[in-house]
Amino acid sequence: VSGTLKLGFQLYREPNGSDVDAATQEFVNRRARLLEVLKQNESVVLFQERVVGIYAVLSGSLDAVNVSDVDRYQKLLLTYTKTNYPGIFDAIDEAGVLTPELGSWLNEMITKFTAEFIA
């Protein structure tokens, strides 16, 4: 997650003009959501909670969520995670890296939650 995050910030900048292609606009929109997730928030205190939020952005799951709704999404995602996937935080802590198994688990959880959030 950290490698992708570093690259994203190295490349992040607001484009000038309206001649931006769809891929660039998608990239800029995703980074705007990432900045929202990374803002200091008293409801997100554990490193593992940050990982869940960052992963949700980098996986594209928040692409359909308005930037103004990202904070609410993140709070509800953490509540959903604690209720439905309580072991995921320990798994993140124990793994120390994003393993394929952990990535699959995160994808499953975030996909289910995002579908409910958007509905």
Side-chain angles (χ1 to χ4, degrees):
V1 173
S2 68
T4 305
L5 183 61
K6 288 177 188 175
L7 177 62
F9 278 117
Q10 288 172 350
L11 298 174
Y12 181 76
R13 62 183 149 88
E14 291 293 328
N16 293 324
S18 59
D19 299 349
V20 177
D21 63 26
T24 302
Q25 189 60 52
E26 178 182 316
F27 180 82
V28 170
N29 290 341
R30 192 167 290 168
R31 295 309 170 243
R33 287 164 180 79
L34 182 59
L35 290 173
E36 286 299 312
V37 166
L38 292 174
K39 285 182 180 177
Q40 293 298 323
N41 184 331
E42 66 275 353
S43 66
V44 181
V45 293
L46 299 175
F47 169 75
Q48 297 88 333
E49 293 174 347
R50 291 256 181 232
V51 169
V52 170
I54 292 167
Y55 190 87
V57 174
L58 297 180
S59 69
S61 295
L62 269 80
D63 289 356
V65 176
N66 290 328
V67 174
S68 61
D69 291 331
V70 169
D71 185 54
R72 185 170 65 88
Y73 173 97
Q74 184 172 359
K75 288 176 184 175
L76 293 173
L77 174 62
L78 293 176
T79 299
Y80 178 87
T81 304
K82 290 172 185 174
T83 302
N84 298 293
Y85 295 83
I88 205 161
F89 295 119
D90 289 336
I92 291 169
D93 187 41
E94 290 170 12
V97 296
L98 187 60
T99 64
E101 296 82 16
L102 188 52
S104 293
W105 200 11
L106 285 165
N107 278 327
E108 173 190 318
M109 177 195 67
I110 291 169
T111 299
K112 286 179 180 179
F113 170 76
T114 303
E116 290 179 20
F117 183 83
I118 292 173

